[in-house]
Amino acid sequence: MRATGRIILSTGISDPDAAILIDGVPTPVRVRRSSRARAYRLTIDGTRGEVRLSMPVRANLKRALGWAQDHEVWVRQQLARQPVLTPLTDGAVFPLEGRAVRVCWEAGASRTIRLEGDRLLLGGAAESVGARVLRWLVRRAKAVLETETQELARDHGLIVASVGVGDPRSRWGSCTASGAIRYSWRLILCPPEVRRATVAHELAHLLHMDHSPAFHAAHARIYGADPKPARAWLRTHGAGLHRYTG
């Protein structure tokens, strides 16, 4: 799997020649100059299939790309491990709350998306199916996570200021000291018990803004069971949930 696209600097300048060779083939790199960077850093964005290079603001781009080229073997290995992206278009199968669901587009059918058993039915423009299914999933995730969060909070005498969803790569949820909780919308793809364990995790942070023994005890108490199996499920399957795109 090779990355595609062009290099984009933080200044907005585009350079089609910024790339490294993987098995002799030019592979574009997206570069980010950061005032906080003290050294070069390579990462792989599996969602977009991109090689990313972070570097200090005043660093020489040619030297940075030379350094990245020296890590060709590592980049090749990391790209090979990335899941193949699955656009949510007609015929695509994806997990919804832990069960397999197929996207079924029908010419002449209502544009409104309907979930019937293991099929997600919709009509409308064929070229916009993926984007519309993705928006439907995000809305569903927001509604389900907000309901579960508020209900579980009330059961345990906790106050939640707000509930939102986004699409972070590195975490499934976050909680601020003010009581604002935010989740990855992709939790709607997980089995319900995994999603609820994540909700309980963020609610436990309303009591302990750390990961101390007291926090873990609160997490288990709010969840009502041992959350370790849910955490193990996310460690094993979580990265694969980022393969689904609009």
Side-chain angles (χ1 to χ4, degrees):
M1 175 180 175
R2 291 201 305 272
T4 58
R6 303 170 75 187
I7 181 171
I8 300 177
L9 303 179
S10 59
T11 58
I13 299 173
S14 179
D15 183 349
D17 298 321
I20 61 174
L21 297 177
I22 304 296
D23 296 326
V25 178
T27 299
V29 177
R30 184 180 292 267
V31 171
R32 178 176 180 270
R33 294 181 182 272
S34 172
S35 59
R36 293 180 295 179
R38 295 293 178 266
Y40 305 140
R41 181 169 180 262
L42 274 173
T43 57
I44 306 297
D45 184 335
T47 300
R48 295 179 175 86
E50 291 179 340
V51 180
R52 294 189 169 189
L53 172 63
S54 297
M55 57 189 291
V57 174
R58 293 183 175 82
N60 181 279
L61 179 58
K62 184 176 181 179
R63 291 178 182 173
L65 289 171
W67 174 86
Q69 184 65 62
D70 290 341
H71 292 76
E72 175 187 355
V73 173
W74 181 87
V75 173
R76 183 195 305 116
Q77 292 172 342
Q78 295 304 309
L79 289 175
R81 292 172 183 168
Q82 299 304 311
V84 177
L85 299 183
T86 301
L88 294 168
T89 51
D90 182 37
V93 177
F94 67 95
L96 177 62
E97 301 197 46
R99 73 181 194 277
V101 171
R102 182 180 297 275
V103 178
C104 297
W105 175 82
E106 298 176 358
S110 170
R111 179 183 171 87
T112 302
I113 297 177
R114 310 182 310 282
L115 178 62
E116 296 184 3
D118 61 355
R119 297 191 303 161
L120 197 66
L121 307 175
L122 74 162
E127 62 271 16
S128 66
V129 167
R132 287 188 285 134
V133 170
L134 184 62
R135 289 196 296 270
W136 183 87
L137 285 169
V138 173
R139 289 194 300 269
R140 185 181 179 95
K142 172 68 162 56
V144 170
L145 285 162
E146 185 163 25
T147 297
E148 288 188 346
T149 300
Q150 295 292 359
E151 288 180 349
L152 200 55
R154 284 195 299 270
D155 290 344
H156 293 272
L158 301 171
I159 298 176
V160 176
S162 64
V163 176
V165 298
D167 194 17
R169 289 285 301 177
S170 60
R171 58 175 61 187
W172 297 103
S174 62
C175 177
T176 68
S178 64
I181 294 178
R182 192 166 180 84
Y183 300 103
S184 166
W185 72 262
R186 295 177 189 274
L187 286 169
I188 200 65
L189 308 178
C190 302
E193 63 273 15
V194 175
R195 184 184 68 239
R196 286 194 291 268
T198 305
V199 170
H201 181 108
E202 300 311 324
L203 289 174
H205 277 311
L206 295 175
L207 300 171
H208 306 281
M209 294 299 290
D210 53 31
H211 288 98
S212 63
F215 163 82
H216 290 297
H219 183 192
R221 183 175 67 254
I222 295 170
Y223 180 46
D226 184 356
K228 290 179 182 177
R231 292 202 301 270
W233 191 97
L234 282 174
R235 284 195 299 271
T236 301
H237 304 286
L241 299 181
H242 290 276
R243 67 186 288 188
Y244 300 102
T245 65

